[in-house]
Amino acid sequence: MGTISRLCLLPLVVSVSLLMTSSVQGGKVLVFPVDGSHWVNMNLLIQTLHDRGHEITVVRTATSWYIKENAPHYHSITITLPEAIVIEDQDFFVTFLMRMIAIQRKGASLIGFLNFYWEMLSTLSKIHQQASLLAVEMFENKTLMQSLRDTHFDVVLLDPGLPAGVVVAHELKLPTIFNVRWVTSGEGHFVVAPSPTSYVPTSGYAASDKMTFVQRVLNLVHYVLNTCIDRFIVCPHYDKLVERYFGSAVNFYHLLQGADIWLMRVDFVLEFPRPTMPNIAYIGGFQCKPSKPLSSELEEFVQSSGEHGFILMSLGTLVKGLPLEITSEIAAAFAQIPQKVIWRHVGERPNNLGNNTLLVKWMPQNDLLGHPKIKAFVAHGGNNGIYESIYHGVPMICIPLLFDQFENVLRLEVRGAAKRVEVTKITQQNFLEAIQEVLHNPSYRTSIKRLSALHRDKPMHPLDTAVYWTEFLMRNKGASHLRTESYKMHWYAYYSVDVICFLFAVLLMLTAVVVGSLRFLCLRLCRRRKPKQA
Amino acid sequence: MGTISRLCLLPLVVSVSLLMTSSVQGGKVLVFPVDGSHWVNMNLLIQTLHDRGHEITVVRTATSWYIKENAPHYHSITITLPEAIVIEDQDFFVTFLMRMIAIQRKGASLIGFLNFYWEMLSTLSKIHQQASLLAVEMFENKTLMQSLRDTHFDVVLLDPGLPAGVVVAHELKLPTIFNVRWVTSGEGHFVVAPSPTSYVPTSGYAASDKMTFVQRVLNLVHYVLNTCIDRFIVCPHYDKLVERYFGSAVNFYHLLQGADIWLMRVDFVLEFPRPTMPNIAYIGGFQCKPSKPLSSELEEFVQSSGEHGFILMSLGTLVKGLPLEITSEIAAAFAQIPQKVIWRHVGERPNNLGNNTLLVKWMPQNDLLGHPKIKAFVAHGGNNGIYESIYHGVPMICIPLLFDQFENVLRLEVRGAAKRVEVTKITQQNFLEAIQEVLHNPSYRTSIKRLSALHRDKPMHPLDTAVYWTEFLMRNKGASHLRTESYKMHWYAYYSVDVICFLFAVLLMLTAVVVGSLRFLCLRLCRRRKPKQA
C-alpha cells in the first residue's frame, strides 16, 4: 500500500493564496437576523465581516432578546412593532416545551393533542405576521427607507427563517445572501433544490435516506403537510405584504427562491447526501474553532477527574431547564459514574446531585469540548452543539427536545456517533445505560473521530466560505449565473406535464391514424374479394 | 455607494493556507484516460499529481494516438486489443466531419441521412465494444491483475467517456474519481443528478435553459433518444462484461453512478445553472493559466499589427483541416481586414491567403490568447478553447463542427460573448461580417470580460480543486458521505410512483367508505319514513 503521510506541500497553498488575495473592503451589509440560537450564528458571521472592514447594519425589533441595540461591530436599526406582538418573552419556548413534554409524558387525548398542534400553528402564524409587520413598519417609514437607499448597501444578508428582509431587499434592488437552515416553515433545500421525497427526509420527519415503503409514505405525507402549512399559514402574511407594496405581478415565493447565494448551515458529514444547486455554499460548522485553555478553576475541576475524564451536559440557548422530575433522574444517573460532570443548568437545582457534578449557569462549551479529558457530551441535538461535537470528535448522548433536534440526532445515530434518550421516557436507569454505552463501546468514539476528520477535510474553513461568497456578491453585484430561474415556470411546465400530455396525444393520434388506415385497407381488400366469391 | 476596492486582506488567506497544508504524499493513482482532446485535460491533471509526489500509472491501448508509452510523469500499462479494432486512425474524425459537412452542405435524402446516422451509431457501439474489450484483456491477464492488486493503488482516476475503468476499479475495490464531461453517450450530470428536461438542455440539443414549448418537446424527445442509445447501444457492452466477471447481482450502470467524486469539466459562467450533487466538484477551465511571453518571431509578427491587433484561428486537436472550398472563403475574408491573423492550419493551403495571414502547424494558443494585442478568437467551440478564451477575456467567432461544440457555442451566444457562423453555410461575406461585428460591437468584449471576471472569482483554482479531491479520496479511502445511493432504488420507488398510487388507493377507499356509509344512512332514513307515509 502506498505510504500516505501528511506533509506540508506548498504549491497548492500558494496558488490558493494568490486567488484569495483580491478581496473587497468597505462593503456595506444590511442584515435581517432571526433571534435566539440563530443569532449566535449570524452574529459570528457579521463579527467576521466587520473584522474584514465591512460596515454592518442590523435590523432588530425593540423587543429583541439577544440582538442588542449597541454593539462595537454593527450599527442597528430598531423597529418598534405595534402592540399585537406575540413573542416578547424568551421563556416562550420553555413554556412550549414543558407543555409538549407534559402531553407526551402523561398522555393526552387526540382532541388535546390536536388542540395543542393547532395552537402551535397559530403561534407560527403570529410569528410570521410579526415578521411581516416589521417590513410594513419599515416601508411606512419614508425617512428610514430613503436613508437606506442613500446608504447604498452592497448586499442584504438575512436568515430566511423569518424572511421579511427578502421583501425589503427587493425594494432596495440589492443582491441577497441567505444564512440559512430553515425557510418559512421548512428546511431550506426544499425551497431551492429538487428534493425527491423517496430518499430526502422532509423537515419534521425523522428518517434516514434509506426508507422503507411505510416511511416513504409518511415522508410524502409530511411533505404535503409542510407545503400546506407554508402556503396557507405562513406565506399569506408575506403575500399580502408583497401585494400591498409591489402589486400582483410580484410573487413572494419567487423572491424567496431568487436569493443569489444560499449559505447553508449544513455539512454532509451530518446531512444525508441530496441534490443541491450551484448557488448553495455549505457552511455547516462554520462556528467551529480550536479550543482555548480553560480558567484555572475549571481546569482544576477537569483535571481532578483523573483517568476517568469528564462529561459535559448542556441543552442549548433556548431551553434553560427541564422539569425537576426529569433532572432528578439525570442527576441520580450522573452520581453513579466515576467521571466528573459539568452541567449547564439554570432551572431548579436537583437535590440528589452527586459530588462529581458541577452545575454552572454558563460554560466555555467549545473549550471544554476541545479538552483532552472530555469523554462525552450530553446535549439536546441543536445544530450548533452537534457541529462543535463533530469538530472536536466527542461522542454524544442526545436528548432531543424541539424542532429539528430529533432529525439531527437521528443523523448522528445512523452514523454511530450518538445514543439517544427520549426526554419523555427518561429514567435514572436508561440514562445511565446510555452514558455507559457511549463511554465504554469504542465504536461511538471511532465513528465521531471519522466524522471529525471528514468535516475538517475541506479546501476552505466554512466561515471563510461564508465570507467569500458575501464578498463575491459585493464584487460582482449578484450571482445570477449560478441561480436558475426555473422556479418562475408554471408547475406543469417545470414537471413537463404539458409536454408529456402533448407527446401522449401525438402518440394516440398516430396510433389512431395507423389503425384507421389499416382498417380502411382491410375493408377495401375484403370488399374486393367478396364480389369474386359471389 | 460603498467604496469597493480590491485589497490584499490577509486573515482569510491565512486560515485557508492552514487548512490546505495537510496533504498526501506518495499516493498511487491508476488512470484510465480517453484519447484525443480528452487526453490533453487528463494529462495536465496527472502531470500536476505527479508534481505533487504521486505515482501515476496510465492504462493505454497499443494503438493510442496521443497517449505515449513512455513519459517522465507516468508509468504505462499497454493493452493490445484483438484485431477487431475500429478506430486505429486519428484521421477518423476528419473523415467523419467531411462526410457530415457534405451531407449538410449539398443536401441529402432522408434515407441518406438516416444511413449516415445509423453508421454513426454503429461506430459508437464499436468504440464502446473496444473499450469493454480493454477490460476483458485486463481481466484475462491474471499476472497483470495480480500485479495491479499488489501495487495497492489508492484511487482510480478515469474519464467515463469510455468507462471500462469503472469495472476494473470495482474488481480492485478502489475508490473512483471521474474527470468528466461525457459519460457513455450523454452529458455527465444526467447520470448522477436530477435533470428536469423543462430547463436543463439535453446533450445533443442546442437550447438555452429558457425554452419555448416546442423546444421543451424536442428536448424531452432528445432525452428519450439519448437514453435509448445509452441503454440499447452503449451499455450492453459493459453489461456483458459485468455479467461475465461479477454475475447478475452487479449492475454496470450502478457502478457508473457510484463513483465517489465527479470532477466535472464545467463552470457555470458557461453552463446554465442546474441541479447538482454534493460529490460533484466543478473544474471547468482547470487548464487555464496566465500566458507566457511569445517567441521573438511570433512577438514580432503580432507587434507588426499595430493598433489593429491580431486575430487567432484554430479548430482544435481532432480536426486538422476543412475542405478547400471553405478555407478559401475564410482566407478571402481574412485578407480584407486590417488585423493580422494567426491561423493554425494543417490541411491544403488556400491560394488566396492575404499578406496579413500567417499559417502555422502549431501555436502557443494560451500565450497568444493572453497577449494584449489579441482582438478575437476564431474557434470551433471545443470545451478547452472556450474556457481559455473566457479566462483571457477574448471575444469569439465560432464555427462549431462536431459533438458538444454546437451546445457550447450556443451558451456563449446567449451570454453575448460570441458570434456563430455555420460551417455548412460559410461564405467570404458572412464570415467577414461576423468578424467585423465581434471586432467593432463592444458588447462582445464587455460580455466576455464579465465572464472572465466571474470565472476567475473562485475560492480555489479549478486545477487545485481537482487535486484536492483526488487527494481527499487517498486520505479518506472514498467519499461515501457525499454520494447518494438513491440510484439503487427501483425507478417507481425513486419517483414515488408506488407511494402516490398507494395514497391514491387509500383516498379512493376512504371516499368509497364515506359515500357507502352516507348511502346506507340515507336508505335507512328513507325506509323509516316510507312506512309513516304509507
Side-chain angles (χ1 to χ4, degrees), chain B residues 442-508:
Chain B
S443 74
Y444 291 93
R445 184 159 286 266
T446 312
S447 299
I448 198 118
K449 290 283 177 201
R450 161 112 183 132
L451 294 188
S452 183
L454 289 173
H455 173 67
R456 285 168 177 242
D457 196 340
K458 282 200 175 53
M460 210 172 168
H461 189 284
L463 182 57
D464 292 330
T465 303
V467 169
Y468 187 88
W469 288 109
T470 313
E471 293 184 347
F472 181 96
L473 288 191
M474 297 181 193
R475 282 192 293 270
N476 301 299
K477 323 275 175 224
S480 59
H481 68 299
L482 297 176
R483 181 189 63 192
T484 170
E485 293 197 346
S486 60
Y487 57 81
K488 292 183 181 169
M489 299 171 82
H490 290 291
W491 69 267
Y492 55 81
Y494 181 93
Y495 290 107
S496 295
V497 176
D498 53 353
V499 170
I500 290 167
C501 288
F502 171 78
L503 288 176
F504 196 66
V506 169
L507 203 69
L508 270 184

Side-chain angles (χ1 to χ4, degrees), chain A residues 180-379:
Chain A
V180 51
R181 174 128 174 79
W182 306 98
V183 179
T184 59
S185 66
E187 206 266 345
H189 282 102
F190 281 80
V191 178
V192 70
S195 306
T197 56
S198 53
Y199 72 98
V200 180
T202 314
S203 8
Y205 183 58
S208 88
D209 58 345
K210 292 183 185 70
M211 293 181 243
T212 62
F213 176 75
V214 175
Q215 284 178 314
R216 287 193 291 113
V217 169
L218 292 174
N219 197 42
L220 185 61
V221 169
H222 263 90
Y223 174 76
V224 173
L225 272 178
N226 285 352
T227 308
C228 291
I229 293 174
D230 219 40
R231 296 293 159 112
F232 301 118
I233 296 183
V234 174
C235 289
H237 298 296
Y238 303 102
D239 290 338
K240 260 185 251 166
L241 177 70
V242 165
E243 169 90 35
R244 179 167 165 187
Y245 292 99
F246 307 118
S248 56
V250 181
N251 177 311
F252 163 70
Y253 216 74
H254 290 175
L255 295 186
L256 200 62
Q257 291 171 303
D260 290 84
I261 297 284
W262 297 59
L263 300 175
M264 199 70 79
R265 295 197 298 271
V266 159
D267 188 303
F268 288 104
V269 296
L270 182 65
E271 191 52 74
F272 301 117
R274 51 108 69 234
T276 173
M277 294 301 285
N279 61 337
I280 301 181
Y282 289 92
I283 61 163
F286 76 108
Q287 76 278 19
C288 299
K289 56 184 184 222
S291 54
K292 293 195 297 284
L294 301 175
S295 68
S296 55
E297 297 84 33
L298 261 186
E299 182 64 34
E300 200 178 314
F301 179 78
V302 160
Q303 286 299 344
S304 72
S305 67
E307 62 179 20
H308 295 300
F310 74 99
I311 288 176
L312 202 64
M313 171 157 176
S314 168
L315 299 180
T317 329
L318 276 180
V319 175
K320 301 218 171 50
L322 291 174
L324 195 62
E325 57 186 282
I326 293 177
T327 51
S328 300
E329 300 285 333
I330 292 174
F334 279 150
Q336 292 179 56
I337 56 171
Q339 281 74 22
K340 296 272 170 169
V341 178
I342 302 175
W343 183 356
R344 179 178 178 274
H345 181 69
V346 277
E348 198 175 340
R349 185 186 170 91
N351 53 19
N352 58 343
L353 215 62
N355 288 333
N356 64 339
T357 307
L358 176 70
L359 282 200
V360 291
K361 293 228 181 301
W362 179 89
M363 63 188 189
Q365 185 170 299
N366 189 58
D367 304 333
L368 285 164
L369 282 173
H371 197 282
K373 279 201 177 289
I374 192 158
K375 296 292 172 197
F377 182 29
V378 183

Side-chain angles (χ1 to χ4, degrees), chain B residues 146-183:
Chain B
Q146 193 52 47
S147 105
L148 288 180
R149 272 184 217 101
D150 295 344
T151 309
H152 295 292
F153 287 101
D154 295 298
V155 62
V156 174
L157 166 65
L158 65 104
D159 186 327
L162 296 176
V166 172
V167 185
V168 180
H170 180 72
E171 168 65 22
L172 298 174
K173 296 183 185 60
L174 289 174
T176 45
I177 185 161
F178 284 174
N179 172 7
V180 52
R181 175 131 172 80
W182 305 99
V183 179

Side-chain angles (χ1 to χ4, degrees), chain A residues 453-474:
Chain A
L454 289 173
H455 173 67
R456 285 168 178 243
D457 196 339
K458 281 199 173 56
M460 211 174 169
H461 189 284
L463 181 58
D464 293 330
T465 303
V467 169
Y468 187 88
W469 288 108
T470 313
E471 294 184 345
F472 181 95
L473 288 192
M474 298 181 193

Side-chain angles (χ1 to χ4, degrees), chain B residues 86-270:
Chain B
V86 204
I87 304 170
E88 55 198 353
D89 179 6
Q90 47 181 307
D91 286 336
F92 169 77
F93 287 107
V94 183
T95 320
F96 179 77
L97 173 69
M98 293 312 141
R99 284 191 54 200
M100 209 188 68
I101 291 177
I103 282 183
Q104 290 186 3
R105 211 170 163 97
K106 287 156 195 163
S109 64
L110 182 67
I111 304 253
F113 176 76
L114 285 178
N115 203 21
F116 176 71
Y117 192 73
W118 181 249
E119 262 184 60
M120 206 176 72
L121 289 183
S122 68
T123 306
L124 184 74
S125 171
K126 281 180 194 157
I127 291 175
H128 284 283
Q129 187 192 9
Q130 173 175 324
S132 74
L133 280 179
L134 176 100
V136 172
E137 291 296 320
M138 290 182 75
F139 281 130
E140 292 301 316
N141 186 337
K142 304 293 173 204
T143 325
L144 171 65
M145 289 309 285
Q146 193 52 47
S147 105
L148 288 180
R149 272 184 217 101
D150 295 344
T151 309
H152 295 292
F153 287 101
D154 295 298
V155 62
V156 174
L157 166 65
L158 65 104
D159 186 327
L162 296 176
V166 172
V167 185
V168 180
H170 180 72
E171 168 65 22
L172 298 174
K173 296 183 185 60
L174 289 174
T176 45
I177 185 161
F178 284 174
N179 172 7
V180 52
R181 175 131 172 80
W182 305 99
V183 179
T184 56
S185 66
E187 205 266 347
H189 282 104
F190 281 80
V191 177
V192 70
S195 307
T197 55
S198 53
Y199 72 98
V200 180
T202 313
S203 9
Y205 182 56
S208 89
D209 58 346
K210 292 183 185 68
M211 293 181 242
T212 62
F213 176 76
V214 174
Q215 284 179 313
R216 287 193 291 113
V217 169
L218 292 175
N219 197 42
L220 184 62
V221 169
H222 263 89
Y223 174 76
V224 173
L225 272 179
N226 285 352
T227 309
C228 290
I229 293 174
D230 219 40
R231 297 294 158 114
F232 301 118
I233 296 182
V234 174
C235 289
H237 298 296
Y238 303 103
D239 290 338
K240 258 185 253 165
L241 178 71
V242 166
E243 169 91 34
R244 177 166 167 189
Y245 291 100
F246 307 117
S248 57
V250 180
N251 177 312
F252 163 70
Y253 215 74
H254 290 175
L255 295 186
L256 200 61
Q257 291 171 305
D260 290 84
I261 297 284
W262 296 59
L263 301 174
M264 199 70 80
R265 295 195 300 270
V266 159
D267 188 304
F268 288 104
V269 297
L270 181 67

Side-chain angles (χ1 to χ4, degrees), chain B residues 61-72:
Chain B
T61 64
T63 52
S64 287
W65 311 332
Y66 293 97
I67 308 163
K68 300 280 166 276
E69 187 162 9
N70 299 308

